[in-house]
Structure formats: C-alpha cells, structure tokens
Amino acid sequence: MSTLKIAIQKSGRLNEDSIQILKDCGISINNGNDQLKAEASNFPLEVLYLRNSDIPQYLIDGVVDLAIVGDNLLVEKGKHIEVIQKLGFSKCKVSVAVPKSFEYNSIQDLAGLRIATSYPNTVNEYFSSFGVTVDIHQISGSVEIAPNIGLADAIVDIVSSGSTLFKNNLREVEVILKSEAVLAVSPKVSPEIQKHIDTLKFRIQSVLRARNSKYILMNVPNDKIDEIGKILPVLRSLTVLPLAQEGWSSVHSVIDKDTFWDVIDQLKEAGAEGILVCPIEKMVL
C-alpha cells in the first residue's frame, strides 16, 4: 500500500496545531524529539518535519503529497499550488509597518525607500500594483529590528497580536493579505494517493465542524417547539424527546459557537429552560 506523505513545519507556530489536528483525526503519530520524519501507526501516512520556507518547493516537486502550511507562504512561493481546505488556525496578517515617528499618509510615501522582508515576491507584487517602486532588502528572521539598526525604512512581515511591532517601536499601516493554515496538495499525486487524501480531508472537515459547533439541549414547552425550531440552525430537524412532565419536551440540536450567545438569548425569550451546551468531538455529515 502506498503511503501519503505530509509536510508540516519543523518548529514554530504551526507545528503543534498541525500535529493536533492529525491526532484529532484519529491518527497516531510515532514521533520522538528531533525526528525529521515519523510514521502513523494506524493510517498510511508519513509526516515530514521541514523548514517552513522549503515546503512549497517540496509540494511542487512531488516529494510530499500534502502540507499544512500558511497560505501566506503559498502566495510568496507557490501560487499555483492547490489549497483543498482552510484549517482555521494560525491566523495572521502580512502587513507593512513603519517606525512610529514616520509620517505616513499613503503607500506612495514609501516610494524609493528600503523595505526589509522575508516575502520579496509578495512585497514586489503589492507595491507594483500601486505603481510604487521600493528597494527590497530580503532577510530571514528578526525583520522587525531592521529599521532600528538602520537597515531599512519600513518592513513587511507577519503580524499576529502586534506585540512584536509595539516592542520595536513600529506601527502597522497597511495589510497586504490575511493568512491562516491551509491543507495544500502537490500537483503530482497519484490516483492511489488521492484516495488517502480524500479520506484525510473528510476526517479533517469532520474535526473542523466539531470545533466550530456546540451540542445544545434544553427543556421546551410543547407549544413553543415550532418557535424554537425557527431559531435553531439545525442539521436536518430538531431532536424532540418527551419529558416525564406532561406538556414539555427535551429539544436537542447543534449551534454555531460564533453566534452562541445571541441564539441563547433568543431561546430563553422563546421559553426554553434548563439549557445545556456540550462540546462536540467529531461531526460527520
């Protein structure tokens, strides 16, 4: 049987979340400290721990079949690589930042200035779209210190919380793109490997649905069930079970976690009582 090869970041912000989502998919990975690759014991899968910046090329060359990678890196190094699933974690921005003392009004203010970045292609394309020419200084790591040491006038880098910019006396002035972890596929996968990819993608989608949903159950007067049903975003229909107390039922459904409190308020106003909310481990449709 062929083995699906998936690349994940060797270390850093993506590593732990990538391993976790595979484990949530029921895949046991036999990895130890400092291993460059590890096999799954219960799924035809091999994990390769790679340097983040190398992953797009490994996909292009077909060395790996899949990768969990930030889509900002694909914009920079692998625009033609197909993304088959957004994963919803490791969200960040690729932004332009300048020293707080810099008088900034528009992107035109950076014309002819030095921009330090690890994303030269992204920077060049972005500034060119405004007809602005800049002097790109490509560096890796510690981009944010470049203005402080006189290497650059501004930077383009990943921004998550903004705390690193603040510590280095910088401020964000433009957002080039928003990024998150994605599941990307090599253009060179075989039909047999594609079957494994489809299976893994199905599992990941089930995990992501569960993460974004909550199981909700409540006691509802029977004459209010139709009204409650109009509030709840159900999968197919409500689950309704009669209670021992006449005229009441237990109503079960699934609720989106992002709209949770708004829906709860509506349910209470409609007559629901004893509302319980539980996490969902997997959600298979």
Side-chain angles (χ1 to χ4, degrees), residues 6-265:
I6 183 169
I8 67 170
Q9 190 175 7
K10 183 179 179 181
S11 60
R13 62 191 183 91
L14 272 175
N15 176 271
E16 291 184 7
D17 287 337
S18 300
I19 292 295
Q20 187 60 54
I21 199 167
L22 293 177
K23 289 181 177 179
D24 289 346
C25 288
I27 297 173
S28 298
I29 301 168
N30 302 317
N31 64 306
N33 293 332
D34 300 321
Q35 278 188 285
L36 297 180
K37 65 178 182 178
E39 294 183 356
S41 60
N42 58 350
F43 192 86
L45 180 140
E46 183 178 68
V47 178
L48 278 70
Y49 300 98
L50 303 175
R51 192 170 66 174
N52 197 43
S53 59
D54 292 338
I55 290 177
Q57 193 61 50
Y58 276 70
L59 284 167
I60 292 169
D61 294 341
V63 177
V64 296
D65 307 301
L66 280 178
I68 296 177
V69 64
D71 57 359
N72 60 293
L73 192 59
L74 298 183
V75 170
E76 175 66 22
K77 292 189 172 185
K79 273 197 168 183
H80 301 298
I81 296 173
E82 182 184 2
V83 171
I84 60 172
Q85 182 66 52
K86 293 187 175 183
L87 300 176
F89 56 81
S90 294
K91 293 185 177 182
C92 64
K93 298 173 288 184
V94 176
S95 299
V96 182
V98 300
K100 291 179 181 178
S101 60
F102 189 98
E103 189 174 332
Y104 183 89
N105 297 298
S106 74
I107 199 73
Q108 304 296 329
D109 294 333
L110 297 174
L113 299 186
R114 299 166 300 168
I115 308 294
T117 187
S118 301
Y119 301 92
N121 296 328
T122 303
V123 171
N124 184 59
E125 184 173 332
Y126 179 74
F127 279 89
S128 294
S129 70
F130 291 94
V132 175
T133 300
V134 293
D135 182 10
I136 298 174
H137 287 237
Q138 183 177 355
I139 58 177
S140 58
S142 301
V143 174
E144 63 279 352
I145 70 169
N148 292 331
I149 62 176
L151 180 63
D153 302 296
I155 70 166
V156 172
D157 200 16
I158 290 176
V159 176
S160 295
S161 66
S163 61
T164 302
L165 293 183
F166 180 81
K167 291 175 183 177
N168 287 276
N169 204 35
L170 300 172
R171 62 188 176 96
E172 180 185 77
V173 292
E174 301 285 346
V175 176
I176 295 179
L177 60 90
K178 294 183 178 180
S179 176
E180 65 181 276
V182 297
L183 189 66
V185 62
S186 168
K188 297 184 178 182
V189 297
S190 67
E192 187 175 2
I193 289 295
Q194 185 61 51
K195 292 179 182 178
H196 297 326
I197 292 174
D198 293 341
T199 299
L200 180 60
K201 180 182 175 183
F202 174 79
R203 293 192 186 188
I204 287 175
Q205 289 175 335
S206 298
V207 169
L208 294 178
R209 289 191 198 100
R211 288 182 179 181
N212 293 323
S213 305
K214 299 290 184 182
Y215 188 78
I216 186 168
L217 55 157
M218 69 209 79
N219 298 330
V220 178
N222 288 343
D223 60 357
K224 297 290 186 178
I225 291 176
D226 288 343
E227 185 178 351
I228 293 292
K230 294 176 182 178
I231 298 171
L232 287 170
V234 296
L235 298 177
R236 187 177 294 273
S237 69
L238 297 175
T239 298
V240 180
L241 303 173
L243 294 178
Q245 182 178 348
E246 188 174 348
W248 284 76
S249 294
S250 177
V251 175
H252 300 217
S253 188
V254 171
I255 187 173
D256 188 281
K257 71 174 186 179
D258 292 331
T259 60
F260 169 77
W261 287 112
D262 290 338
V263 173
I264 291 295
D265 290 339

